[in-house]
Amino acid sequence: MRRVAIVGFAIIGLAASADAQRWTPPSRPLPIEQTTGVPTSIYDGDTFRFGKMRVRIWGIDAPEKDTRFGPGARAQLVQLVAGRPVQCRGTGQRNYDRIVAQCWNWQGVEIAAAMVRTGWAVDWARFSQGRYQPSQQAAQRAHAGMYRYGVQPWRDPR
């Protein structure tokens, strides 16, 4: 009987991990009082704050602030959101005590798509299911952002 229970839990665990691969952002709002606001600080190319709440932009990966391309990625995010309202929709996930969310700037531009399109972030297909891959390829062809230096962003030897 105990073996059956263990096997059953193992099967449930496999099913749960398969569901994680098919994840899509939910339509429910962030688990906070306000989903629209002006960012109070911008940490790097994929993280900013609304007051004390840190928000990690869903579906992309941008260079860390203390890396070669970090200042450029942060500057691009500043250009997209600083001093203007941003609307975010939470995914229900957390990452290093940050709420993971899809966000749009005051002009209705999806921030993740803009960061990838300008070459300052890459599509994180593990989470986005390749949603931003066409934008990433276009940025590479145009030598935009990080790609103007002729290196793959995370393979740079520095």
Side-chain angles (χ1 to χ4, degrees), residues 96-115:
Y96 297 106
D97 201 30
R98 299 175 291 185
I99 291 171
V100 179
Q102 275 186 290
C103 300
W104 295 264
N105 73 5
W106 76 99
Q107 296 172 315
V109 174
E110 185 183 9
I111 295 168
M115 289 297 293

Side-chain angles (χ1 to χ4, degrees), residues 29-111:
L30 286 171
I32 57 171
E33 295 175 14
Q34 191 175 24
T35 58
T36 301
V38 177
T40 54
S41 67
I42 297 165
Y43 183 74
D44 60 16
D46 56 27
T47 304
F48 62 89
R49 285 183 181 268
F50 284 131
K52 293 184 179 185
M53 181 191 66
R54 293 187 331 152
V55 177
R56 167 69 162 85
I57 301 170
W58 173 83
I60 64 170
D61 191 21
E64 300 305 316
K65 70 176 186 172
D66 56 354
T67 64
R68 178 179 180 193
F69 300 113
R74 183 182 179 280
Q76 180 62 36
L77 186 57
V78 166
Q79 186 176 8
L80 286 166
V81 305
R84 302 287 186 124
V86 172
Q87 181 178 18
C88 294
R89 184 176 71 207
T91 64
Q93 298 175 326
R94 289 195 168 261
N95 176 278
Y96 297 106
D97 201 30
R98 299 175 291 185
I99 291 171
V100 179
Q102 275 186 290
C103 300
W104 295 264
N105 73 5
W106 76 99
Q107 296 172 315
V109 174
E110 185 183 9
I111 295 168

